[in-house]
């Protein structure tokens, strides 16, 4: 079971793997994340298109109403706070986020493993759903789509495939 936040869902949708993600894994998220996706979809850029792709597939993602945002901080926004609550309620295996700034703090408040979305590419390779070279191509596509090139998240993601 995976709980995903807004950033992770947008990344996966931006590389045309949302269908694969929801087919291969039990994906859960929160109403707050859904609202963030709706707000993002109002723009006219590739992130908006990816957000709309996720919204079009919400019938395949389990959406939960979590209202406790007490865990918000300077690094953890409302959406992430609700995914923390959900991760702990469901005893989820993973909390997926692409907010590298929040990741260290997230790891201190959930029992689940907190990871960036490219770990899904690695998992799909291990499941023989994607060839490794395809996964690396998708990672490069995600880096381009999400403006990760030369950033710490890109370096961390590349390390998954070394």
């Amino acid at each position: 079971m995976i709980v995903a936040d807004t950033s992770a869902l947008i990344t996966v949708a931006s590389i045309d793997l949302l269908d694969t993600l929801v087919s291969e894994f039990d994906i859960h998220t929160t109403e707050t994340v859904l609202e963030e996706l709706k707000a993002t979809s109002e723009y006219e850029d590739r992130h908006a298109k990816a957000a709309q792709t996720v919204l079009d597939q919400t019938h395949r993602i389990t959406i939960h109403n979590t209202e406790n945002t007490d865990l918000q901080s300077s690094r953890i926004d409302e959406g992430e706070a609700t995914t923390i609550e959900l991760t702990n309620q469901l005893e989820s295996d993973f909390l997926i986020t692409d907010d590298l700034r929040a990741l260290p703090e997230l790891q201190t408040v959930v029992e689940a493993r907190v990871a960036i979305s490219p770990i899904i590419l690695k998992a799909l390779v291990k499941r023989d759903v994607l060839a490794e070279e395809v996964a690396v191509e998708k990672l490069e596509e995600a880096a381009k789509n999400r403006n990760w090139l030369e950033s710490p998240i890109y370096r961390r993601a590349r390390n998954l495939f070394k």
Side-chain angles (χ1 to χ4, degrees), residues 24-84:
E24 289 292 320
F25 302 100
D26 183 17
I27 304 298
H28 297 253
T29 197
T30 69
E31 288 284 346
T32 303
V33 167
L34 201 62
E35 292 305 316
E36 290 178 354
L37 289 165
K38 287 176 184 172
T40 301
S41 74
E42 298 292 318
Y43 294 96
E44 293 184 17
D45 59 16
R46 60 181 169 226
H47 299 125
K49 182 179 175 193
Q52 188 59 53
T53 298
V54 178
L55 292 170
D56 292 344
Q57 294 294 316
T58 53
H59 62 284
R60 301 176 67 195
I61 299 170
T62 306
I63 310 294
H64 300 262
N65 186 11
T66 56
E67 296 177 359
N68 185 353
T69 58
D70 292 345
L71 294 169
Q72 280 185 254
S73 71
S74 62
R75 294 183 179 173
I76 297 176
D77 68 18
E78 183 179 1
E80 290 157 349
T82 61
T83 60
I84 291 168

Side-chain angles (χ1 to χ4, degrees), residues 98-113:
D98 287 340
D99 188 339
L100 208 54
R101 204 172 71 100
L103 200 138
E105 194 169 337
L106 292 171
Q107 289 175 324
T108 66
V109 291
V110 297
E111 293 293 322
R113 183 169 175 198

Side-chain angles (χ1 to χ4, degrees), residues 46 96 129:
R46 60 181 169 226
I96 305 295
V129 174

Side-chain angles (χ1 to χ4, degrees), residues 125-140:
V125 169
K126 285 185 176 180
R127 289 180 171 212
D128 291 326
V129 174
L130 280 183
E132 184 158 332
E133 59 270 14
V134 173
V136 171
E137 288 172 10
K138 289 292 187 183
L139 173 59
E140 296 300 322

Side-chain angles (χ1 to χ4, degrees), residues 15-30:
I15 56 174
D16 299 323
L17 282 180
L18 185 66
D19 183 61
T20 305
L21 174 70
V22 296
S23 295
E24 289 292 320
F25 302 100
D26 183 17
I27 304 298
H28 297 253
T29 197
T30 69

